[in-house]
Amino acid sequence: MRDVSIIGIGQIPVREHWSHSLQVLGAEAVVLALQDAGVERPGALYVGNMLSGQISAQENLGALIADHAGLRGIEALKIEAACASGAAALRVGYGAVAGGLHDVVVACGVEKMTDAMVDETTAALMSAGDAIYEGEHGLSFVALNALLMQRYMHEYGYTREAFAGFSVNAHRNAVHNPNAMFRRAITAETFGRAKMVSAPVSLLDSSAIADGAAAVVLAPTDLARRNGLRAVRITGSAVATDSVALHDRQDPLVLSAAIESAQRAYAQAGRGPNDIDFFELHDAFTIMAALSLEACGFAEKGQGARLAMEDAIAPTGRIPISTMGGLKARGHPVGATGLYQVVEAALQLRGEAGDAQIAGCRVGMTQSIGGSGANVITHILERVDG
């Protein structure tokens, strides 16, 4: 197995891109990443996407985006793992380079969510759940996360105000991210007044649907060093799964796949929670942020929310999270999200995060969650010194 590094990154602003098609969004991110790496033609392109067939009536995205990026003829495949599709594309690209199938590949995540009515998009998103035992009964992911949040509050004695710090932190950090959808700080008081969506989940507990695309270029680390390229090593890459249906789990407040995925990535990287300088977690809902912190070893069971209450997740805190806005404030174009996380982590480790920079960071972790915890992909990234 070869050592693999990120040598180029590209992203477009997360927005409602009414004038951009799915293939244009993806191709723009791919071209930006290739330009950043100084590479003209990679050996392969892996495209993470969840909803193109349902919302855009478009599949075969690998060939489509390769064509629009001027890469017709290369190996190009679509990769799907629900909301973790972008991270899954990175995982496949990592394997291709580590295993010697290609020297240079691109992993891209792209999603176009705003071309459909909200009800249609909500139903399409629920295809990441159990269609028979959850979807047919009218459940949505907002409802599932509301059940989780209600149970968490009941078990550990929190009120919903305990979760305010997750949203406050995300929006505060997004102010410094020019690609974020919501670049406005909020207060705990604003959080408390937010409109309920599915009690106790409010608008400010929830990430927004959006359009976007992000991409990275991968190559062997020794190739990057020989050519003097800016590189960020992938020292851990791991995937784990759990039941798709929430009710099939032994304890719904334990993200077993996140635990397993993180532990495998830690073991591969030779790292542990105390070595991580920042964590780009999957804060699609505030309850998921709390559960992810617990699953990855940053808090004991039932104590994840307390990290937000104590502001330990701030840029100067014990474990900074959502350092450029996270899913909550950057926006959550689902198939692209995992690669936005990785691009943002690479910016941090390259020292190019501007006013969002975490001082002195050398090791970062990203974790992307498909469904309500059914498919979890964790990457550990480390700065490479020249």
Side-chain angles (χ1 to χ4, degrees), residues 3 22 47 56 90 94 162 173 178 206 212 244 265 273 278 285 290 299 308 316 323 336 355 358 371 373 377:
D3 202 55
L22 190 69
V47 178
S56 303
L90 176 63
Y94 168 85
N173 295 342
S206 316
V244 172
F278 64 94
F285 298 92
T316 56
T323 66
D355 291 336
I358 303 299
I377 303 173

Side-chain angles (χ1 to χ4, degrees), residues 81-345:
C83 309
S85 295
L90 176 63
R91 167 72 172 175
V92 172
Y94 168 85
V97 175
L101 294 177
H102 296 285
D103 284 335
V104 180
V105 308
V106 179
C108 170
V110 62
E111 203 71 76
K112 189 97 167 70
M113 304 176 72
T114 62
D115 282 354
M117 301 296 289
V118 173
D119 288 350
E120 295 175 69
T121 303
T122 299
L125 286 168
M126 196 54 209
S127 65
D130 190 307
I132 296 175
Y133 294 107
E134 292 177 327
E136 284 190 5
H137 294 278
L139 283 169
S140 67
F141 276 111
V142 177
L144 289 171
N145 279 271
L147 291 171
L148 286 172
M149 188 171 174
Q150 187 69 53
R151 186 67 190 178
Y152 190 92
M153 291 162 54
H154 171 76
E155 289 285 344
Y156 305 119
Y158 294 107
T159 63
R160 67 171 302 275
E161 286 70 27
F163 296 85
F166 290 117
S167 290
V168 170
N169 174 69
H171 281 267
R172 178 176 59 203
N173 295 342
V175 169
H176 306 300
N177 180 4
N179 293 297
M181 192 172 185
F182 301 112
R183 299 185 66 196
R184 179 181 296 178
I186 64 169
T187 65
E189 292 72 26
T190 306
F191 177 89
R193 296 193 301 268
K195 179 181 177 182
M196 282 293 154
V197 181
S198 180
V201 171
S202 76
L203 280 174
L204 288 179
D205 288 292
S206 316
S207 58
I209 62 173
D211 307 329
V216 299
V217 182
L218 305 176
T221 302
D222 60 358
L223 182 151
R225 284 182 168 141
R226 286 198 308 271
N227 290 279
L229 301 173
R230 293 171 299 176
V232 173
R233 282 182 68 209
I234 301 175
T235 57
S237 176
V239 184
T241 57
D242 199 352
S243 67
V244 172
L246 189 59
H247 65 261
D248 280 336
R249 297 179 195 166
Q250 186 172 9
D251 184 344
L253 296 182
V254 174
L255 296 179
S256 296
I259 294 172
E260 190 66 33
S261 176
Q263 289 299 323
R264 291 173 187 171
Y266 286 146
Q268 184 181 353
R271 298 290 188 179
N274 291 335
D275 299 311
I276 305 301
D277 294 319
F278 64 94
F279 180 26
E280 299 300 338
L281 49 68
H282 194 92
D283 56 336
F285 298 92
T286 53
I287 181 60
M288 274 293 156
L291 295 179
S292 295
L293 286 165
E294 295 170 17
C296 295
F298 299 109
E300 296 295 325
K301 187 178 179 183
Q303 298 299 306
R306 193 160 299 280
L307 293 184
M309 295 169 67
E310 297 170 353
D311 214 21
I313 58 173
T316 56
R318 177 162 66 87
I319 179 62
I321 69 169
S322 307
T323 66
M324 301 186 79
L327 283 64
K328 173 63 195 75
R330 179 226 304 118
H332 183 25
V334 288
T337 289
L339 276 160
Y340 273 105
Q341 292 176 311
V342 171
V343 166
E344 291 162 359

Side-chain angles (χ1 to χ4, degrees), residues 6-10 32-34 36-37 215-218 230 350:
I6 296 165
I7 63 168
I9 57 177
L32 287 170
L34 289 170
D36 186 57
V216 299
V217 182
L218 305 176
R230 293 171 299 176
R350 284 169 30 165

